[in-house]
Amino acid sequence: NAGVTQTPKFRILKIGQSMTLQCTQDMNHNYMYWYRQDPGMGLKLIYYSVGAGITDKGEVPNGYNVSRSTTEDFPLRLELAAPSQTSVYFCASSYPGDRTEAFFGQGTRLTVV
Amino acid sequence: DQQVKQNSPSLSVQEGRISILNCDYTNSMFDYFLWYKKYPAEGPTFLISISSIKDKNEDGRFTVFLNKSAKHLSLHIVPSQPGDSAVYFCAVPTSGTYKYIFGTGTRLKVLA
């Protein structure tokens, strides 16, 4: 049981490039999330999904897009990368309903230069 | 909107002593709160939670206290161990109970 798997672990992008951060989970969780963590800051919610085909914006969605075609996968797309997107990105998943904790991946450290 | 503050960015404690980490929130509309622990180069992992029908929840060396009138959470670790050295985040629900706002974290260092 791998849990939540993110790829890549590290990436350096040039300004204006695009990339997709991959996230997959094998726990059959309906809910999935993307967070970013900047130095000295908490985790900020970028996008979330409550099931395949359903996504919605979180606190900081600008510059990102997501899709959810399957229960397992929740990729995050960065279009036209900017230095402000330099951060550590975490994908997470949880069971539906309230009072459930989220399971996090190990993170992707992204640097935009 | 929900705001969450962890006013102590770092804390150093001697091994065997108590560690107390604090968290304040603004919107008391929701009733379930969580603490996560994060080691370097890893994702956060769930540590302990509390429902607002309680004012205390205990799990081994970890106890979370909830003061609803003050909108304040605290996490107590007794006794503290070097392996507890990590960043601790509190998470408080926002609109929709599956969406959580995270505090900025407190970096705990337990000295051997």
Side-chain angles (χ1 to χ4, degrees):
Chain A
N1 191 343
V4 179
T5 302
Q6 291 183 236
T7 56
K9 286 189 170 52
F10 304 94
R11 182 73 186 265
I12 298 174
L13 273 185
K14 293 184 178 177
I15 294 171
Q17 287 185 322
S18 300
M19 77 164 292
T20 299
L21 281 65
Q22 301 292 345
C23 175
T24 187
Q25 52 93 7
D26 62 0
M27 297 174 281
N28 204 31
H29 287 167
N30 282 55
Y31 293 177
M32 294 189 75
Y33 315 82
W34 274 105
Y35 289 90
R36 60 177 285 174
Q37 185 189 14
D38 299 327
M41 304 294 288
L43 284 78
K44 298 289 187 185
L45 182 63
I46 305 171
Y47 270 94
Y48 66 98
S49 169
V50 299
I54 306 169
T55 62
D56 207 347
K57 296 177 181 178
E59 303 169 84
V60 289
N62 292 342
Y64 307 95
N65 279 300
V66 293
S67 59
R68 184 94 183 271
S69 57
T70 67
T71 300
E72 295 79 17
D73 299 308
F74 190 39
L76 177 72
R77 178 82 178 162
L78 279 73
E79 304 282 1
L80 298 174
S84 60
Q85 293 178 304
T86 294
S87 190
V88 181
Y89 291 84
F90 292 101
C91 178
S93 69
S94 69
Y95 289 109
D98 60 356
R99 308 185 182 194
T100 59
E101 72 272 20
F103 295 79
F104 283 80
Q106 289 201 318
T108 295
R109 183 175 295 274
L110 176 68
T111 303
V112 182
V113 297
Chain B
D1 272 358
Q2 184 70 273
Q3 291 189 21
V4 182
K5 290 184 180 177
Q6 292 179 254
N7 288 321
S8 298
S10 63
L11 176 67
S12 290
V13 171
Q14 207 67 33
E15 181 179 7
R17 307 294 293 267
I18 184 170
S19 297
I20 300 176
L21 294 84
N22 295 303
C23 175
D24 296 295
Y25 59 96
T26 56
N27 187 335
S28 57
M29 184 174 169
F30 303 99
D31 65 354
Y32 191 66
F33 308 89
L34 304 93
W35 284 92
Y36 285 82
K37 177 178 180 178
K38 184 183 180 303
Y39 291 117
E42 294 184 10
T45 55
F46 169 72
L47 183 60
I48 192 169
S49 61
I50 188 166
S51 165
S52 63
I53 63 173
K54 297 183 174 182
D55 54 15
K56 174 184 172 181
N57 187 28
E58 193 171 349
D59 183 0
R61 297 184 297 111
F62 302 90
T63 303
V64 56
F65 295 90
L66 175 61
N67 182 331
K68 291 186 289 291
S69 60
K71 298 179 187 175
H72 178 81
L73 290 161
S74 63
L75 174 67
H76 292 207
I77 306 173
V78 182
S80 301
Q81 298 175 355
D84 296 329
S85 297
V87 179
Y88 291 79
F89 294 97
C90 62
V92 177
T94 181
S95 59
T97 54
Y98 46 83
K99 287 168 58 179
Y100 285 84
I101 298 294
F102 282 75
T104 51
T106 296
R107 183 178 300 277
L108 174 66
K109 187 171 184 179
V110 180
L111 307 168

